[in-house]
Amino acid sequence: MSGTFFCVGVGPGDPELLTWKAISVLEQADVLVIPVSDKGLEEPVYTDKTDVTMEKYLVQCMAYQIVKEKLPGLREKEKLYLPMPMIKDKERLKQIHDKDTALLLHILDQEKTAAFITLGDPSVYSTCLYIQKRVKKKGYPTDLVPGVPSFCAAAARLNKGLAENKEQIHIIPASYGVEEALCLPGTKVLMKAGRKMPEVKQAVKRRGMEMEMVENCGMKGERIYTDIEEIPDEAGYYSLLIIKEKKG
């Protein structure tokens, strides 16, 4: 017997958007898994609730900042801090993810359940999938707990639908192939578009499209822009764009 590894989507930022299932899984989990992008953490670390030396990683983890408001008891749980650096070196990432998985499997072998918290939904561009696939391949039980995706929450904040009737929806990571993506039919959603903003704005203007943006959706400092001319060139990392053809 072994414990189950859960990947828990906590939504885009507003704690009110946590699902009942996410709350239930997190409350019952033995170990809370914290993804860490800080380069200061080079090896996975498994700690009890009293390790104050790891506090800064909790502060940096946006997913933890969301859930702690509704579930203060999570602070008392054992924690597994996993290095999940934002780099493109595939071989280096493989080595890191393999080490992360090895320590996680050791915990699961103790028949403990572990819950990895992730922004939005775990099935959409989530780093938890790198670990989940490895755990699943080793024959251990895994479970994805869906969360409200950021693009659905952003559309709601803009008070508009993403698509109607036969319209298509395309979800695009803004760091790849923006020009080609804008040629796709229907609604284009560009995620984490902050660094590409000037390039995207110019491309959208050339095509005569409409573009709206929600920055930090559901988080502190949330900003909503309904006119492309209002969107700043220097936007935050959590900037989501919704692009449509102009109508009428």
Side-chain angles (χ1 to χ4, degrees):
M1 291 290 292
S2 68
T4 299
F5 176 54
F6 293 90
C7 295
V8 183
V10 304
D14 184 353
E16 293 292 321
L17 294 179
L18 273 171
T19 67
W20 284 110
K21 182 168 184 179
I23 291 172
S24 176
V25 169
L26 291 174
E27 286 182 333
Q28 295 178 45
D30 298 305
V31 181
L32 187 66
V33 182
I34 306 293
V36 178
S37 60
D38 191 316
K39 293 179 180 179
L41 186 69
E42 297 182 352
E43 300 284 337
V45 176
Y46 181 35
T47 74
D48 63 21
K49 63 185 179 182
T50 61
D51 193 340
V52 295
T53 64
M54 307 300 287
E55 282 289 312
K56 68 176 183 177
Y57 299 124
L58 293 180
V59 174
Q60 294 171 2
C61 179
M62 186 60 67
Y64 182 78
Q65 296 305 307
I66 293 170
V67 298
K68 74 171 187 177
E69 294 188 29
K70 293 294 183 183
L71 299 168
L74 295 184
R75 184 175 179 81
E76 303 305 313
K77 288 186 181 290
E78 296 178 0
K79 295 179 181 66
L80 173 60
Y81 297 86
L82 298 184
M84 303 293 285
M86 300 172 67
I87 59 176
K88 294 184 178 181
D89 183 337
K90 291 184 178 180
E91 184 55 37
R92 177 61 181 145
L93 281 174
K94 180 182 181 303
Q95 294 172 0
I96 292 170
H97 295 154
D98 286 346
K99 283 186 178 181
D100 288 347
T101 303
L103 183 51
L104 173 60
L105 294 181
H106 174 70
I107 293 169
L108 297 180
D109 283 336
Q110 299 173 44
E111 298 186 17
K112 293 183 178 182
T113 58
F116 184 121
I117 50 175
T118 184
L119 285 174
D121 183 278
S123 68
V124 182
Y125 299 120
S126 174
T127 53
C128 74
L129 294 176
Y130 296 116
I131 308 301
Q132 185 262 353
K133 287 188 292 186
R134 286 170 165 78
V135 173
K136 186 177 179 180
K137 188 175 181 179
K138 292 288 186 178
Y140 290 73
T142 66
D143 195 356
L144 300 185
V145 179
V148 176
S150 59
F151 46 87
C152 292
R157 294 295 293 124
L158 290 167
N159 200 28
K160 67 189 303 179
L162 282 174
E164 299 177 41
N165 298 320
K166 296 181 180 180
E167 289 181 333
Q168 298 179 12
I169 302 175
H170 302 277
I171 312 300
I172 302 142
S175 55
Y176 302 94
V178 172
E179 287 280 353
E180 294 85 351
L182 293 180
C183 296
L184 296 169
T187 301
K188 275 74 68 175
V189 175
L190 269 62
M191 301 180 67
K192 299 176 181 178
R195 295 179 181 176
K196 292 278 188 174
M197 197 60 66
E199 174 186 335
V200 174
K201 286 171 64 177
Q202 290 301 316
V204 169
K205 287 179 180 179
R206 283 197 299 270
R207 288 169 171 76
M209 296 174 169
E210 294 179 345
M211 184 169 84
E212 297 177 281
M213 182 178 90
V214 180
E215 182 179 13
N216 299 328
C217 184
M219 305 175 188
K220 292 180 180 178
E222 178 188 83
R223 293 184 180 181
I224 297 173
Y225 300 90
T226 58
D227 189 321
I228 190 171
E229 299 299 338
E230 299 173 353
I231 297 174
D233 285 344
E234 295 184 4
Y237 178 70
Y238 296 113
S239 295
L240 187 144
L241 304 175
I242 296 178
I243 301 169
K244 292 176 175 280
E245 301 290 342
K246 286 186 178 179
K247 295 181 179 180

